[in-house]
Amino acid sequence: MKKSIIAVASLLVVGVLFLAGCQSKDDSEASSKNVLRVGTEGTYSPFSYRDDNDKLTGYDVDVAKAVAKKIDYKVKFVEAPWDSMLAAFDAKKTDVVFNQVAITPERKEKYVFSTPYSVSHPALIVNKDNNEIKDFADLKGKTSAQSLTSNYAQMAEELGAEISSVDGFSKAVELVVDNRADATLNDDVTYYDYLNQKPDAPIKIVKTSDEATEVAAMFHKGDEKLAEKVDKAIKELEADGTLTKLSEKYFKKDISK
């Protein structure tokens, strides 16, 4: 009889622990619904980078924070180089990417995009001593330093260039400066910010495209409800002047439209 009582008591304890575990799990899942996991590079100044105090900052980072505040979410940044960042996103390790992801027809087939929060123009950048490359067509047969899965890598390939893989714009500039790559394609805003930080960098823009590149937050297909929330928040941030204020903070001009 004594053994039976002990057995029943043991079962009751196990049951309580099991229910407690389930309750804890449910609470955890409920709270996680209000956490926005944001994929970003953290090495792409002035959009997403670490400052002198090792604090993650930048235009895209601040936009993501402002959006999260608008929709009453906590924000968790997941930093990785461009290709790894996209791989983590595809593996659903993050919910959204705020990292100058351009809206392209190919990406629209695979992902969902918000309203654009910045606009730039593709620029062809070469060593200051390079007088051979003067236009985009001159990239044919040349080497262009690019992040492999970026829209600029695709653009360079379409122009007939051979891609030299790098992680970020600063690495691309290093190859161009050292003549290990003939050129790099990137947006004009990034180029001018780089020169603000390193005015003596021996690089130049030889051609800028008239075609605007629109950048937006990128979501998984199936996450349309979250995308709609963020889209609404971005529109509100544009209307109340927040995007303009953040643009002027980092670029001294409005790149939000």
Side-chain angles (χ1 to χ4, degrees):
M1 182 73 176
K2 187 175 181 180
K3 286 183 180 179
S4 297
I5 293 173
I6 293 173
V8 170
S10 298
L11 287 171
L12 287 172
V13 171
V14 170
V16 170
L17 290 174
F18 176 76
L19 289 172
C22 289
Q23 183 65 45
S24 175
K25 181 180 179 183
D26 289 342
D27 289 344
S28 174
E29 287 178 349
S31 64
S32 70
K33 290 178 182 177
N34 290 325
V35 175
L36 189 66
R37 300 173 302 166
V38 178
T40 195
E41 283 184 279
T43 57
Y44 189 23
S45 175
F47 301 104
S48 170
Y49 66 102
R50 290 195 167 271
D51 63 17
D52 294 337
N53 296 315
D54 200 33
K55 180 183 177 182
L56 184 65
T57 188
Y59 177 69
D60 285 45
V61 171
D62 283 1
V63 171
K65 287 179 178 177
V67 164
K69 185 176 181 181
K70 275 277 185 187
I71 64 176
D72 197 25
Y73 273 54
K74 292 181 180 180
V75 62
K76 177 184 178 182
F77 290 100
V78 179
E79 299 169 62
W82 176 270
D83 294 327
S84 300
M85 176 191 70
L86 293 183
F89 178 69
D90 285 338
K92 297 198 173 180
K93 301 294 184 182
T94 54
D95 307 303
V96 59
V97 174
F98 275 90
N99 198 89
Q100 290 299 290
V101 181
I103 303 172
T104 65
E106 293 78 15
R107 287 182 183 147
K108 285 178 76 173
E109 290 180 3
K110 187 176 181 182
Y111 307 110
V112 177
F113 285 91
S114 70
T115 294
Y117 62 85
S118 76
V119 178
S120 61
H121 295 83
L124 177 56
I125 303 157
V126 300
N127 189 298
K128 70 173 185 178
D129 295 327
N130 188 324
N131 297 313
E132 185 180 356
I133 298 175
K134 299 177 181 179
D135 206 337
F136 292 105
D138 296 330
L139 265 185
K140 187 174 182 179
K142 300 296 192 298
T143 303
S144 190
Q146 311 291 158
S147 296
L148 276 181
T149 54
S150 70
N151 55 301
Y152 291 113
Q154 181 181 344
M155 182 178 176
E157 284 185 326
E158 290 173 352
L159 290 166
E162 179 183 341
I163 305 301
S164 180
S165 176
V166 294
D167 287 330
F169 182 66
S170 59
K171 294 294 184 183
V173 171
E174 286 179 18
L175 294 192
V176 171
V177 169
D178 293 340
N179 291 312
R180 288 182 286 155
D182 299 303
T184 184
L185 291 173
N186 214 295
D187 62 80
D188 53 353
V189 173
T190 299
Y191 169 82
Y192 289 118
D193 178 74
Y194 187 88
L195 281 190
N196 283 336
Q197 299 178 51
K198 299 184 179 182
D200 297 326
I203 55 176
K204 62 183 179 182
I205 286 180
V206 291
K207 192 70 175 180
T208 303
S209 174
D210 293 330
E211 186 177 341
T213 298
E214 293 184 323
V215 165
M218 186 171 74
F219 302 85
H220 301 286
K221 291 265 187 174
D223 281 352
E224 282 78 8
K225 286 187 178 179
L226 176 61
E228 287 172 6
K229 283 185 181 180
V230 171
D231 191 74
K232 182 174 182 289
I234 290 175
K235 288 177 179 176
E236 290 175 356
L237 293 171
E238 181 180 10
D240 67 18
T242 299
L243 291 185
T244 297
K245 183 178 178 181
L246 291 176
S247 292
E248 291 174 347
K249 172 184 175 181
Y250 289 100
F251 308 102
K252 296 182 173 59
K253 66 175 183 177
D254 192 357
I255 68 161
S256 67
K257 51 191 173 186

